[in-house]
Amino acid sequence: MLIDINVPYSDYKVRVGSPIEDLKDYIRQVSEAGRMYLVTDSNVGELYGTEIKNILKDAGIDLVYKEIPAGEEYKNFQTAESIIKDMCEKKIERFTPVIGFGGGVIGDLAGFVASIYMRGLPFINIPTSLIAQVDSSIGGKTGVNLIYGKNLVGTFCQPVYVYTDIDFLNTLKEEEYRSGLGEVIKHAVIKGENFLKFMEENIDPILKINSGPAGIMVAECIKIKGDIVVADEKEKGLRRILNLGHTFGHAIETVSGYGTLKHGEGVSIGMVAALMISEAMGKCSLKFVTRIKNLLQRCSLPVTIPGNIDIKELVEYMYMDKKVRDSKLRFVLPVSPGQVEASVGVEEDLVLKVARKLV
C-alpha cells in the first residue's frame, strides 16, 4: 500500500506492508545516488544489520553504515556530533541520502543530522518500531533532547521516502510494542468513534501482532497523521492536536531520566492527565475519561505517575514545553471522540491537583 503525504514542496510516499526484501526494488525510485549513509542502533543492527547491507548492496548502493548505542539517553547533541564527524571522515557529499533505520530515536537523530549537514541532505526513513511507524516517521519533525526537556532542539525535515515493513513488529520486545500503542490510542481519540471502536474491538489480536488488524491500525494512523501534517506542516494550528498527552508525558520522561520510561508510556499517563483536566474543566465526561483509561490499561500501559517523581519538579519542567505561551501552561484537551481542543490555558493549581491524584 502506498500512502501519499502531499506536503507543499515536499511530497513523499509511505509504503506500508511491503517486506524489507522488496526495498531494493524501490530504492532507485527515491534517488539516483550510488552512495547512501545509513544510521541505526545496536539493537536493530544485531537483528537486521547484515540483511539491510545485503539488500542495499544488491540494489547497487555503496553503503556507509553507522551504528550507535540503543536508547533514548543517546538522543543528544553528543551522538549527533559523532555521526556528523563520521560523515565528514567518510566524505559524505551534498546529495548523499541519509537513511534512518530504526525506531523513533534513530529517525529523529538521523533526520536531524540530515537536515543540518551541508545545510540538508535527502532523508529516507525506515521505521522499525510501532511508535515510529505510526507516528514519528511521518511529518518531518526531528530533534535531540536536552537536560531541560525532550526535543527542545530540532528541525522540520520531511523525508523523501518512508518504507514501513509490518514484519519488523514481530521482533520488538513486548514492552516496546505496547508502548507504541500509546500513540495509536492518541490517534484514535483524535480521529473519532470509528477508529476508537476498531481499537476496542480488535485489541486482543492487535496485542498478538496479528498482521491483519495490526496492518490496518498502522495504515490508519499514518493516514490520520498525514492528513493533519498536510493541513499544517509547521504546527501553526491544527497539528498541535497531535501533542495530546505530550505535555505531561515529556515532563515525566525528563524527570524520571531519559530511557527510564518509554515514550508511549509517558503519552499514556499524559493522556489520562489531559482527560482528567478536561473533565475538571467541564469539557468532557467522566465516562469518556474511564473509557480511554480502560483501553490503555488493556494494553498494559501506565495510567498513573511513578511514585518516585516529585510533582512540583514535574510541573516546573512543563514550563519548558514548546506549547507554553506567555508563561502559561497549555494543554491539548479531549472533549469527545474526534473532538479535541489545542492550546488550552490551564491554571497551575489544577495541573498540580490532577498530578497529585495520579500518583
Side-chain angles (χ1 to χ4, degrees):
M1 176 191 299
L2 276 176
I3 299 173
D4 291 318
I5 310 292
N6 297 313
V7 178
Y9 312 112
S10 303
D11 289 359
Y12 58 96
K13 297 183 183 296
V14 182
R15 183 169 291 276
V16 185
S18 298
I20 191 63
E21 292 84 359
D22 290 348
L23 178 63
K24 61 179 177 290
D25 298 328
Y26 304 107
I27 200 73
R28 284 299 183 188
Q29 299 174 23
V30 178
S31 173
E32 290 301 316
R35 200 173 191 223
M36 293 187 177
Y37 187 91
L38 184 144
V39 182
T40 192
D41 67 31
S42 52
N43 288 342
V44 176
E46 183 177 356
L47 288 167
Y48 300 109
T50 300
E51 184 176 6
I52 193 72
K53 289 176 186 177
N54 289 336
I55 288 168
L56 293 174
K57 181 180 179 181
D58 288 346
I61 299 299
D62 173 20
L63 183 68
V64 181
Y65 183 90
K66 173 68 174 178
E67 188 174 295
I68 65 170
E72 182 79 31
E73 61 269 35
Y74 295 102
K75 184 180 152 181
N76 53 38
F77 269 127
Q78 290 74 26
T79 305
E81 184 180 21
S82 74
I83 295 170
I84 291 169
K85 284 182 177 178
D86 186 63
M87 295 171 82
C88 292
E89 291 168 2
K90 302 293 171 54
K91 296 180 170 59
I92 298 303
E93 298 174 354
R94 174 68 179 79
F95 296 102
T96 303
V98 174
I99 301 174
F101 182 47
V105 169
I106 288 296
D108 281 3
L109 261 173
F112 179 63
V113 168
S115 72
I116 62 174
Y117 182 78
M118 293 191 174
R119 297 195 178 96
L121 273 58
F123 176 54
I124 299 167
N125 206 332
I126 307 177
T128 59
S129 70
L130 179 60
I131 208 159
Q133 291 186 359
V134 302
D135 187 66
S136 60
S137 66
I138 310 301
K141 281 187 178 181
T142 76
V144 294
N145 302 330
L146 305 181
I147 59 171
Y148 306 102
K150 284 199 63 174
N151 301 323
L152 289 183
V153 175
T155 63
F156 285 94
C157 173
Q158 298 294 346
V160 296
Y161 197 65
V162 180
Y163 198 95
T164 299
D165 178 4
I166 304 299
D167 288 344
F168 284 134
L169 304 181
N170 291 312
T171 54
L172 283 181
K173 293 180 180 179
E174 183 179 351
E175 60 268 27
E176 288 286 352
Y177 181 72
R178 290 176 181 264
S179 170
L181 291 172
E183 286 284 3
V184 172
I185 293 169
K186 179 201 79 176
H187 280 82
V189 172
I190 289 170
K191 178 62 176 178
E193 186 62 38
N194 288 344
F195 188 38
L196 188 55
K197 187 173 289 186
F198 170 85
M199 290 300 299
E200 290 171 328
E201 293 176 350
N202 291 277
I203 197 63
D204 291 334
I206 283 171
L207 287 171
K208 295 175 183 176
I209 320 182
N210 179 291
S211 60
I216 293 170
M217 173 187 74
V218 170
E220 183 64 21
C221 285
I222 291 170
K223 290 175 185 175
I224 292 167
K225 184 161 186 182
D227 287 345
I228 293 171
V229 168
V230 168
D232 178 23
E233 180 188 5
K234 299 295 177 69
E235 202 172 281
K236 297 182 183 301
L238 177 66
R239 187 170 177 173
R240 294 173 186 170
I241 66 176
L242 292 170
N243 290 314
L244 172 60
H246 285 61
T247 302
F248 258 92
H250 278 173
I252 293 170
E253 287 182 77
T254 304
V255 174
S256 61
Y258 295 129
T260 303
L261 197 71
K262 299 185 185 309
H263 177 65
E265 294 173 333
V267 170
S268 176
I269 299 168
M271 264 194 292
V272 174
L275 283 157
M276 290 174 64
I277 290 171
S278 184
E279 194 267 334
M281 295 177 69
K283 293 180 179 292
C284 80
S285 67
L286 180 59
K287 182 178 179 181
F288 187 39
V289 178
T290 303
R291 181 183 181 185
I292 304 305
K293 185 176 178 180
N294 287 343
L295 182 56
L296 292 167
Q297 288 178 311
R298 288 177 67 188
C299 298
S300 299
L301 286 164
V303 293
T304 57
I305 296 171
N308 61 336
I309 287 181
D310 182 271
I311 297 302
K312 287 188 176 180
E313 183 184 9
L314 179 68
V315 174
E316 281 299 314
Y317 269 96
M318 289 184 199
Y319 280 101
M320 290 298 296
D321 188 88
K322 295 184 290 296
K323 294 177 289 301
V324 168
R325 295 288 185 276
D326 301 321
S327 300
K328 191 175 184 67
L329 295 173
R330 295 183 184 275
F331 289 80
V332 179
L333 300 182
V335 177
S336 62
Q339 184 183 359
V340 294
E341 295 183 6
S343 298
V344 179
V346 180
E347 295 297 328
E348 183 179 313
D349 287 348
L350 177 56
V351 177
L352 283 166
K353 182 179 179 181
V354 167
R356 289 183 177 120
K357 285 183 177 179
L358 283 171
V359 174

